Amino acid sequence: MYENTYPDKRFRLTLAFLKKHASADGKILDLGVENPFSKIMKSEGFNVMNTTGEDLDNDQSALQNSDYDIVTAFEIFEHLLNPYTVLEQIKSEKLFISIPMRLWFSPAYRSKTDPWDRHYHEFEDWQLDWLLEKTGWKIIDRQRWTNPVKKFGIRPLLRRFTNRYYIVYAERVQ
């Protein structure tokens, strides 16, 4: 997935946001298979376990384990058909989610060769906020950032000042 490009800015900002709100001594369940960012979290001293590739739309058994202090879902929710059920099933008290935001000048991403690498949802920030509220989460902190690319054209110009990523730290409402 990252053969030709590496999202340095996104990874750097995501790690800073995580460190701002989470200590390395907690146990983290990172939704999705092991990936470059979960390896970065581990190298930074976080105790991270990943899900094993199960289809979270149909199988939320990994979320039933209450042995985790934190659940992270970095760039996962846009791939799910049913993020509502996934959010309801999470047993930890703390949650970190990042998503690529819907861009009015760009269609939803869809790989033609990998059925797992498709975006069913392209959220606006308020939509993710509402989804979290409806599933019993209170947003504690949030951040947005752009994703400029080193290309010429109208879309690359728009990417310089249009927020592309949104990250949220939320806690379960008692």
Side-chain angles (χ1 to χ4, degrees):
M1 177 177 211
Y2 298 114
E3 296 84 17
N4 299 320
T5 60
Y6 190 76
D8 181 62
K9 178 181 179 181
R10 177 167 51 103
F11 284 1
R12 187 174 24 84
L13 293 173
T14 300
L15 184 62
F17 191 84
L18 180 65
K19 285 181 171 183
K20 178 179 175 183
H21 297 289
S23 65
D25 58 351
K27 290 169 68 175
I28 296 175
L29 174 63
D30 184 38
L31 302 186
V33 296
E34 188 175 60
N35 57 74
F37 190 72
S38 61
K39 291 176 183 176
I40 290 170
M41 288 191 292
K42 289 176 184 175
S43 73
E44 291 289 324
F46 287 98
N47 181 4
V48 180
M49 293 295 299
N50 286 84
T51 53
T52 58
E54 63 272 29
D55 184 345
L56 293 173
D57 282 316
N58 296 317
D59 179 5
Q60 291 108 27
S61 58
L63 306 175
Q64 298 300 314
N65 185 345
S66 60
D67 195 29
Y68 296 101
D69 303 302
I70 299 168
V71 169
T72 58
F74 299 125
E75 314 299 314
I76 294 294
F77 274 62
E78 65 274 11
H79 300 275
L80 297 175
L81 299 176
N82 190 7
Y84 186 95
T85 302
V86 171
L87 285 168
E88 279 190 319
Q89 297 301 317
I90 293 172
K91 299 300 180 208
S92 75
E93 298 297 316
K94 297 179 180 184
L95 173 66
F96 290 84
I97 296 177
S98 67
I99 56 164
M101 294 173 61
R102 186 179 76 76
L103 299 176
W104 58 271
F105 55 86
S106 184
Y109 175 74
R110 180 178 137 192
S111 169
K112 293 185 180 8
T113 58
D114 184 355
W116 288 97
D117 192 19
R118 295 177 179 165
H119 291 187
Y120 184 77
H121 296 281
E122 292 267 329
F123 292 96
E124 293 183 34
D125 52 4
W126 70 267
Q127 291 171 307
L128 182 63
D129 293 354
W130 189 24
L131 181 62
L132 288 166
E133 177 186 324
K134 287 190 64 99
T135 55
W137 295 93
K138 179 183 178 192
I139 296 172
I140 306 301
D141 194 8
R142 59 178 59 105
Q143 186 177 343
R144 296 165 192 82
W145 60 83
T146 61
N147 184 43
V149 294
K150 296 175 183 175
K151 295 180 182 178
F152 293 104
I154 298 295
R155 286 185 186 175
L157 176 65
L158 292 172
R159 288 180 188 274
R160 293 196 173 277
F161 58 86
T162 303
N163 285 323
R164 175 61 171 153
Y165 293 101
Y166 182 50
I167 191 167
V168 171
Y169 165 56
E171 294 181 355
R172 176 70 70 189
V173 176
Q174 300 299 333

